[in-house]
């Protein structure tokens, strides 16, 4: 399997697509001005205690207060609070973490009111981004995640991933980390550290320690609520979690992000930094790698996947429901069971892909086509378990019920991916009437005339639907060339699959969109 990463950096948004054998399996979109990413650390203030929930609401600057449960305080909350009071009181007298005395752990079944008071300042980390009507979910057990290890201050132990099965390797890693880690810092050894040399692990440990030392002292200079540590850029964070030897290429269309990714690959996989490539083509990067078309076909309510069979995916506040339909497949009585097995097996493959792609979380109920043989239902359950094995989100799958329903729970730490595949008519804006389409090119020429002669723009790019681009470029002496001779040879026409049929966008030489609204139309 060939894995590729494609990063599309736009002025307002960064989109990251993961391809496996050219098939889209993960998509992340993040506005460039959005905060509250998982892993960010804040100095917050206790706003309200909820004894009935054994939790507190914390002000971290979000419009809705964040939620912190007693069980998310972490066993060493008292030690963290001692460190925070010293840092807020007199930073010069604050004791370094390795020299601190670890206080007794808080009680496992204690009460939130015993450890927190309204107005108290606390160090918290985002565990779940704001989802729907809920604010962020917090934890006070701070952690810094790397490719091979996770560093946790105010504790002193080493844990090794249970996915590392070899007892010899587990013992080697435990002893190795124990010998290089500083006092009063816990380390979780991740699965990817298996077989790694001490130099690699020591280098990452020092990198994570530097993050702590460079950011946490900021608490003495800010007032709650304030951000203390901002998690790595989304593209780098995603790469950190999914990078493996099967990655063939990483494409990015922005110079700064390209440098960040290349530096990170150099750090975690020396010698493989050449897989990061800067894309400089004129066609939008997602169009070039056939991602836009896959997005349009995969995010609708109905998803067709094999020989006319299709899924219907419905969303509610509490759960997601997926209905499997055979479509126009053969329904002959003699082949009914075989058809059901084939359709259900293919549906399991597509559902596993859809869960990753849309990042669906919570409870997912799947209504498969009924099968009469218990052995076939067991076979389908085992197949679903197998295809979900590559899903990095924690999940639990239950066998099919007697009604043919399968239930899956899947961890969700950020809002699910919801891409609108329907398009509002760009010429009538939903009113149902528009100008004659034959005049569309006249309208475009009017806007080009306005840009060149009124706004004195000599170099710009026009993005249009691929069909329109083909029309403008057809013939021996195409319309696009006539416009270039008449107005500007520095004008480029780019086909853009993300646009609706009669939609267009103008960009300047710095890729900033130019607002050419309706009042510039030809009179």
């Amino acid at each position: 399997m060939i894995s590729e990463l494609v990063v599309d950096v736009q002025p307002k948004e960064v989109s990251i697509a993961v391809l496996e054998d050219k098939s889209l399996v993960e998509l992340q979109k993040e506005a460039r001005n959005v905060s509250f990413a998982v892993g960010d650390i804040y100095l917050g203030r206790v706003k309200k205690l909820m004894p009935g929930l054994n939790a507190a609401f914390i002000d971290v600057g979000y419009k809705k207060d964040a939620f912190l449960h007693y069980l998310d305080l972490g066993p060493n909350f008292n030690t963290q609070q001692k460190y925070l009071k010293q840092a807020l009181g007199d930073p010069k007298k604050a004791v370094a973490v390795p020299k601190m005395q670890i206080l007794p752990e808080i009680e496992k079944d204690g009460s939130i009111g015993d450890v927190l008071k309204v107005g108290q300042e606390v160090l918290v980390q985002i565990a779940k981004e704001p989802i729907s009507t809920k604010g962020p979910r917090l934890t006070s057990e701070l952690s810094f995640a790397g490719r091979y290890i996770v560093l946790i201050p105010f504790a002193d132990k080493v844990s090794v991933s249970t996915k590392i099965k070899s007892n010899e390797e587990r013992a080697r890693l435990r002893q190795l980390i124990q010998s290089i880690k500083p006092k009063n810092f816990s380390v979780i050894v991740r699965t990817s550290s298996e077989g790694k040399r001490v130099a690699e692990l020591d280098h990452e440990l020092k990198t994570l320690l530097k993050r702590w030392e460079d950011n946490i002292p900021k608490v003495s200079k800010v007032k709650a609520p304030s951000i203390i540590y901002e998690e790595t850029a989304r593209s780098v964070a995603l790469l950190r979690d999914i990078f493996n030897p099967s990655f063939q290429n990483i494409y990015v269309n922005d110079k700064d992000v390209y440098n960040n990714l290349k530096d990170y690959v150099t750090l975690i996989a020396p010698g493989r930094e050449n897989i990061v490539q800067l894309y400089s083509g004129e066609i939008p990067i997602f169009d070039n790698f056939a991602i836009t078309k896959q997005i349009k076909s995969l995010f609708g309510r109905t998803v067709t996947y094999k020989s006319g069979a299709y899924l219907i995916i419905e969303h509610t506040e509490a759960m997601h429901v997926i209905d499997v339909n055979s479509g126009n497949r053969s329904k002959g009585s003699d082949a009914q069971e075989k058809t059901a097995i084939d359709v259900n097996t293919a549906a399991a493959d597509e559902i596993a892909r859809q869960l990753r792609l849309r990042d669906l979380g919570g409870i997912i109920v799947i209504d498969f086509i009924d099968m009469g043989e218990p052995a076939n239902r067991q076979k389908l359950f085992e197949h679903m378990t197998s295809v979900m094995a590559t899903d990095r989100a924690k999940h639990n799958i239950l066998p099919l019920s007697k009604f043919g329903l399968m239930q899956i729970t899947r961890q969700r730490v950020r809002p699910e991916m919801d891409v609108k595949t329907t398009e509002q008519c760009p010429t009538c804006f939903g009113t149902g009437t528009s100008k004659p389409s034959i005049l569309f090119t006249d309208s475009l020429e009017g806007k080009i005339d306005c840009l060149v002669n009124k706004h004195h723009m000599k170099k710009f790019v026009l993005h249009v639907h691929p069909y329109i681009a083909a029309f403008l470029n057809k013939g021996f002496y195409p319309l696009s060339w006539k416009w270039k001779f008449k107005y500007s040879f520095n004008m480029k026409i780019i086909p853009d699959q993300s646009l609706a049929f009669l939609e267009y966008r103008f960009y300047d030489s710095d890729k900033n969109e130019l607002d050419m609204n309706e009042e510039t139309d030809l009179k």
Side-chain angles (χ1 to χ4, degrees):
M1 180 177 66
I2 299 174
S3 297
E4 296 177 303
L5 192 72
V6 182
V7 183
D8 180 20
V9 182
Q10 298 297 330
K12 296 181 180 179
E13 185 179 63
V14 177
S15 301
I16 304 164
V18 180
L19 305 178
E20 292 181 355
D21 293 331
K22 304 299 180 180
S23 179
L24 181 65
V25 295
E26 285 190 45
L27 180 67
Q28 297 283 347
K29 287 178 178 282
E30 187 173 278
R32 302 188 78 170
N33 60 347
V34 170
S35 55
F36 302 100
V38 172
D40 288 354
I41 297 176
Y42 286 80
L43 178 64
R45 189 182 302 278
V46 179
K47 197 76 173 287
K48 188 177 182 181
L49 297 179
M50 302 293 289
L53 298 174
N54 203 17
F57 285 103
I58 311 294
D59 180 12
V60 291
Y62 190 64
K63 59 186 178 182
K64 284 186 175 290
D65 291 333
F67 183 80
L68 177 64
H69 194 273
Y70 180 86
L71 296 177
D72 293 323
L73 291 174
N76 295 289
F77 182 75
N78 288 333
T79 306
Q80 188 212 91
Q81 278 297 293
K82 176 183 175 182
Y83 176 86
L84 181 60
K85 287 178 181 178
Q86 290 177 347
L88 292 173
D90 187 352
K92 294 180 181 179
K93 295 182 180 180
V95 179
V97 175
K99 297 180 181 179
M100 288 186 66
Q101 181 180 358
I102 299 295
L103 299 179
E105 296 183 357
I106 61 174
E107 297 180 14
K108 291 183 179 180
D109 54 354
S111 171
I112 194 76
D114 295 337
V115 291
L116 290 181
K117 300 291 183 289
V118 174
Q120 180 177 341
E121 292 178 313
V122 288
L123 274 175
V124 289
Q125 190 168 30
I126 306 294
K128 283 188 179 182
E129 292 179 17
I131 295 174
S132 186
T133 58
K134 302 174 183 177
R137 177 76 182 258
L138 304 176
T139 176
S140 278
E141 192 168 20
L142 310 182
S143 63
F144 294 83
R147 170 71 177 152
Y148 305 124
I149 60 177
V150 179
L151 184 70
I152 303 173
F154 309 116
D156 203 354
K157 61 181 180 180
V158 176
S159 303
V160 181
S161 169
T162 55
K163 292 183 180 179
I164 299 177
K165 302 301 183 183
S166 169
N167 290 330
E168 293 80 5
E169 180 64 7
R170 292 173 63 85
R172 182 188 77 89
L173 290 170
R174 190 185 302 276
Q175 185 176 7
L176 189 156
I177 295 296
Q178 196 73 53
S179 66
I180 61 175
K181 81 171 188 67
K183 187 180 179 184
N184 295 341
F185 281 92
S186 282
V187 172
I188 298 175
V189 182
R190 305 182 73 173
T191 310
S192 56
S193 63
E194 188 171 8
K196 294 295 181 272
R197 296 175 290 110
V198 62
E200 296 174 270
L201 301 178
D202 184 52
H203 178 72
E204 182 164 277
L205 179 62
K206 288 177 179 177
T207 301
L208 299 180
L209 277 170
K210 192 172 188 303
R211 287 187 198 171
W212 166 265
E213 294 165 355
D214 289 348
N215 291 278
I216 299 304
K218 294 178 185 177
V219 296
S220 61
K221 302 175 184 177
V222 299
K223 292 184 178 180
S226 294
I227 188 167
I228 301 300
Y229 165 72
E230 194 166 2
E231 179 59 291
T232 315
R234 187 78 199 106
S235 53
V236 176
L238 182 65
L239 181 62
R240 177 191 69 201
D241 293 336
I242 67 173
F243 185 83
N244 61 66
S246 69
F247 260 82
Q248 298 295 314
N249 297 294
I250 300 171
Y251 301 99
V252 60
N253 62 349
D254 181 85
K255 185 74 173 179
D256 293 336
V257 177
Y258 163 78
N259 289 331
N260 290 339
L261 289 176
K262 192 160 188 175
D263 290 345
Y264 188 72
V265 172
T266 303
L267 177 68
I268 64 175
R272 299 209 61 206
E273 57 272 10
N274 289 335
I275 67 172
V276 184
Q277 300 180 39
L278 180 63
Y279 176 79
S280 56
E282 293 182 348
I283 298 175
I285 188 170
F286 272 16
D287 290 6
N288 185 70
F289 292 98
I291 296 171
T292 304
K293 187 174 182 180
Q294 293 189 62
I295 292 173
K296 296 280 187 182
S297 65
L298 291 172
F299 277 92
R301 175 177 177 266
T302 302
V303 179
T304 303
Y305 62 93
K306 183 181 180 182
S307 302
Y310 61 94
L311 307 174
I312 296 178
I313 304 175
E314 297 281 5
H315 310 271
T316 72
E317 183 69 22
M319 66 193 306
H320 307 280
V321 181
I322 302 176
D323 184 30
V324 179
N325 294 273
S326 60
N328 57 9
R329 289 290 297 261
S330 170
K331 294 182 176 63
S333 58
D334 56 336
Q336 185 172 348
E337 185 78 2
K338 185 178 186 304
T339 298
I341 296 170
D342 291 344
V343 172
N344 285 341
T345 302
D349 294 335
E350 182 60 31
I351 289 170
R353 178 191 186 190
Q354 288 287 333
L355 296 186
R356 290 177 62 189
L357 186 60
R358 303 186 188 212
D359 202 10
L360 300 184
I363 301 173
I364 300 111
V365 177
I366 306 167
D367 182 12
F368 284 105
I369 297 173
D370 291 341
M371 295 181 292
E373 297 292 332
N376 290 334
R377 292 197 291 270
Q378 179 62 26
K379 184 179 178 181
L380 177 61
F381 167 68
E382 292 172 356
H383 182 72
M384 177 60 84
T385 303
S386 173
V387 295
M388 288 281 290
T390 56
D391 194 334
R392 291 178 289 112
K394 294 179 182 178
H395 59 271
N396 187 31
I397 307 173
L398 297 181
L400 274 74
S401 69
K402 63 180 179 181
F403 299 116
L405 302 178
M406 177 180 288
Q407 299 174 65
I408 300 175
T409 60
R410 187 175 182 274
Q411 183 187 37
R412 180 173 65 178
V413 296
R414 56 181 56 88
E416 69 189 55
M417 180 60 59
D418 185 20
V419 177
K420 300 296 183 184
T421 56
T422 56
E423 300 170 346
Q424 185 186 61
C425 175
T427 53
C428 75
F429 303 101
T431 63
T433 59
S434 65
K435 300 175 185 177
S437 57
I438 195 67
L439 300 180
F440 176 68
T441 54
D442 294 341
S443 176
L444 268 184
E445 184 176 358
K447 296 185 187 302
I448 294 171
D449 185 15
C450 178
L451 273 175
V452 173
N453 297 318
K454 183 178 178 180
H455 298 290
H456 308 293
M457 294 283 297
K458 294 298 182 183
K459 188 174 183 180
F460 55 90
V461 179
L462 171 61
H463 283 228
V464 291
H465 189 278
Y467 288 176
I468 300 298
F471 174 78
L472 295 177
N473 290 314
K474 75 179 180 70
F476 177 74
Y477 186 46
L479 188 57
S480 60
W481 275 98
K482 294 178 183 178
W483 288 351
K484 287 183 179 183
F485 277 113
K486 187 175 181 180
Y487 298 106
S488 172
F489 272 99
N490 286 321
M491 179 188 73
K492 289 183 179 180
I493 297 176
I494 304 296
D496 191 334
Q497 296 177 12
S498 67
L499 299 182
F501 184 54
L502 296 181
E503 190 177 4
Y504 56 85
R505 289 178 188 164
F506 286 92
Y507 294 89
D508 63 18
S509 55
D510 295 323
K511 298 184 179 180
N512 297 313
E513 186 174 354
L514 303 172
D515 184 12
M516 298 299 294
N517 49 31
E518 287 303 308
E519 66 258 25
T520 60
D521 273 336
L522 284 174
K523 303 299 184 201

